[in-house]
Amino acid sequence: MPLDKTKALIALPKLPYAEDALAPVISAKTISFHYGKHHATYVKTLNELIAGTDYESLQLEEIVVRAAKDKDAAAKKIFNNAAQAWNHDFYWHSMSPKGGAPTGKIKDALEKDFGDLAAFKKAFGQAAAGQFGSGWAWLVQGKDGALKIETTSNADTPIAHGGTPLLVADVWEHAYYLDYQNRRPDHLTAWLDKLVNWSFAEKNLT
Ligand code: MN3
């Protein structure tokens, strides 16, 4: 049977809130481009790349992990688009219009590994602002259970390396340029103060 090119193999997930829900830190205009153009294009391109390949029967996370191990040029393209599709869905869920202060287990874990929330925000903000070029800043849980901050370049993602991400900030310019232009640190300060979805981070604790 010929492949039905109209059927998307990997779907674009719904945004967990309205496009204007994160304003004024992230405007509806930014979300409309970021979700509606950037994220949607990664998903569309991924579907084109995996059609008719061994990847087409896999879940998104499996595509990321397998393509990361495969070193040929076609797999690299699949990795970039699959990882960007996965990272963006994780990013939308890392934010909430009701962001604020952590409570419960995630608060305890942050205090254990960073001292207090202010120290965490400072360390995360510095790492994210210092990521050279495009990439992502992550709060991850190490195999020893401890929380750590990591940055990745371009599409790279902790799940390709067996990591357990709890939270991510997108530091590609498309994430903040319409609202903050070159002021990535100001965007991150507002992001950390107003938008972090701590209950999502807590849910991701193992
Ligand atoms: Mn992005």
Side-chain angles (χ1 to χ4, degrees):
M1 211 169 76
L3 187 76
D4 180 0
K5 291 253 166 70
T6 61
K7 185 180 165 285
L9 304 164
I10 300 294
L12 176 65
K14 275 197 159 161
L15 264 186
Y17 32 71
E19 288 192 349
D20 62 357
L22 306 180
V25 178
I26 302 179
S27 64
K29 192 174 180 189
T30 290
I31 299 278
S32 127
F33 277 96
H34 197 177
Y35 172 72
K37 304 287 184 199
H38 292 274
H39 186 180
T41 300
Y42 294 126
V43 172
K44 181 173 179 284
T45 305
L46 176 64
N47 280 309
E48 290 165 2
L49 292 170
I50 63 174
T53 75
D54 290 349
Y55 286 95
E56 75 174 358
S57 60
L58 303 179
Q59 301 294 312
L60 181 58
E61 191 160 340
E62 297 169 328
I63 297 174
V64 173
V65 172
R66 192 197 285 192
K69 292 185 187 133
D70 195 346
K71 296 298 173 202
D72 69 54
K76 180 71 185 164
K77 275 190 197 164
I78 289 173
F79 175 80
N80 284 338
N81 286 280
Q84 283 295 80
W86 193 92
N87 291 349
H88 279 90
D89 190 37
F90 198 82
Y91 172 64
W92 305 127
H93 285 90
S94 293
M95 300 184 287
S96 161
K98 297 188 189 107
T103 56
K105 279 186 212 154
I106 187 72
K107 177 175 189 276
D108 296 344
L110 281 169
E111 287 174 355
K112 180 169 171 286
D113 296 316
F114 296 98
D116 59 19
L117 180 62
F120 163 75
K121 284 181 179 176
K122 190 176 175 202
F124 189 93
Q126 283 178 349
Q131 163 59 30
F132 186 76
S134 295
W136 301 85
W138 305 83
L139 176 64
V140 299
Q141 187 172 26
K143 300 234 188 302
D144 58 358
L147 306 196
K148 299 181 178 91
I149 294 164
E150 277 180 11
T151 59
T152 58
S153 284
N154 298 322
D156 199 14
T157 178
I159 65 162
H161 315 286
T164 304
L166 306 182
L167 201 67
V168 72
D170 188 338
V171 294
W172 285 58
E173 282 187 344
H174 65 226
Y176 59 84
Y177 210 85
L178 293 176
D179 302 318
Y180 288 84
Q181 295 77 48
N182 62 318
R183 293 178 289 117
R184 187 194 284 187
D186 293 349
H187 165 70
L188 288 163
T189 299
W191 191 91
L192 286 161
D193 287 344
K194 308 249 171 63
L195 296 186
V196 176
N197 185 350
W198 288 112
S199 61
F200 177 69
E202 183 169 34
K203 234 174 46 193
N204 293 322
L205 283 170
T206 56

